[in-house]
Amino acid sequence: MDFKALATDRYTTKKYDPTKKLPEALVKELKEILHLSPSSINSHPWRFTFVRDQTLKEELAGVSFHNVEKVKDASHIVVFSVIDSIELFEEQMAEYLPEGAIGYYNKNIKPGTEQQIKAWMAHQIYLALGFFLSACASKEVDSTPMEGIDTAEYDRILAVKDYKTLFAVALGYRDADDANRPSVKVKSRLEIGKVVFSL
């Protein structure tokens, strides 16, 4: 299937089949793909936590607002977190980034406020999200990006240190009765002429 066909067929799954789980070999491959996500200056200020334990998913579901059933029924939940310490981030970069990338950061990013630097880091996590959703579609894995979660509670439950949860992605296989399937609910987008321009 070509990429346009993938983009046409992919949709945000609203209902998962709890009896269908992702094979471990596929999960391993998705982890490896996520590890290859692009980021500005190869900074990757992120952490990705794959949760398959049902007890832990039940606890996360309790702080997932309108996403409760998705979190419970999906095969896996992937939690996307951003590094929370600028100092730790800079130490990490110094270990592996070339001088040119660090120079770019020092000149263009570091002079900003703490809020601006952390916003730039968070943007990198969203790059990884888009990359990952496409990868899942290419592997015929259904997915649901979820910002509708209590991120502070996710951090507490997962006992993550030095990182902060931004959002999570449910992974699995759609329920046959999922009303959001493109064959049932037509995919809606703004007209292409309103969002794509040629100069």
Side-chain angles (χ1 to χ4, degrees), residues 119-132:
W120 176 81
M121 291 192 293
H123 293 161
Q124 311 316 312
I125 319 305
Y126 281 88
L127 287 177
L129 172 64
F131 186 76
F132 187 61

Side-chain angles (χ1 to χ4, degrees), residues 91-156:
E91 289 174 3
Q92 176 180 286
M93 285 199 304
E95 293 177 2
Y96 72 94
L97 280 184
E99 184 178 326
I102 293 175
Y104 174 88
Y105 171 82
N106 288 336
K107 180 180 179 182
N108 298 288
I109 308 300
K110 190 169 183 175
T113 64
E114 179 181 359
Q115 182 179 9
Q116 289 170 329
I117 295 170
K118 287 188 173 182
W120 176 81
M121 291 192 293
H123 293 161
Q124 311 316 312
I125 319 305
Y126 281 88
L127 287 177
L129 172 64
F131 186 76
F132 187 61
L133 295 179
S134 297
C136 289
S138 77
K139 297 294 179 182
E140 299 183 339
V141 173
D142 294 310
S143 62
T144 309
M146 302 176 293
E147 288 185 306
I149 60 175
D150 187 329
T151 56
E153 282 297 291
Y154 265 57
D155 289 338
R156 181 189 64 79

Side-chain angles (χ1 to χ4, degrees), residues 8-19:
T8 300
D9 291 344
R10 192 220 159 259
Y11 76 104
T12 298
T13 303
K14 300 296 185 182
K15 187 177 182 182
Y16 286 90
D17 183 339
T19 67

Side-chain angles (χ1 to χ4, degrees), residues 18 22 37 43 50 63 71 79 109 116-117 123 127 135 177 180 198:
L22 301 181
S37 296
S43 55
F50 281 68
V63 292
V71 174
V79 181
I109 308 300
Q116 289 170 329
I117 295 170
H123 293 161
L127 287 177
D177 294 328
N180 207 41
S198 299

Side-chain angles (χ1 to χ4, degrees), residues 26-122:
L26 178 54
V27 174
K28 182 177 183 291
E29 188 175 4
L30 289 174
K31 289 177 179 178
E32 292 169 350
I33 290 170
L34 193 48
H35 176 247
L36 295 170
S37 296
S39 62
S40 178
I41 65 168
N42 201 26
S43 55
H44 45 83
W46 48 46
R47 171 181 167 136
F48 309 114
T49 305
F50 281 68
V51 180
R52 68 176 178 181
D53 179 79
Q54 189 61 34
T55 301
L56 196 51
K57 284 197 298 165
E58 295 277 346
E59 191 172 359
L60 292 173
V63 292
S64 295
F65 308 139
H66 60 284
N67 291 304
V68 171
E69 296 306 317
K70 299 181 197 78
V71 174
K72 284 182 180 179
D73 293 343
S75 173
H76 289 67
I77 303 299
V78 185
V79 181
F80 286 62
S81 306
V82 64
I83 199 165
D84 192 41
S85 165
I86 294 173
E87 181 180 0
L88 185 59
F89 173 63
E90 292 175 352
E91 289 174 3
Q92 176 180 286
M93 285 199 304
E95 293 177 2
Y96 72 94
L97 280 184
E99 184 178 326
I102 293 175
Y104 174 88
Y105 171 82
N106 288 336
K107 180 180 179 182
N108 298 288
I109 308 300
K110 190 169 183 175
T113 64
E114 179 181 359
Q115 182 179 9
Q116 289 170 329
I117 295 170
K118 287 188 173 182
W120 176 81
M121 291 192 293

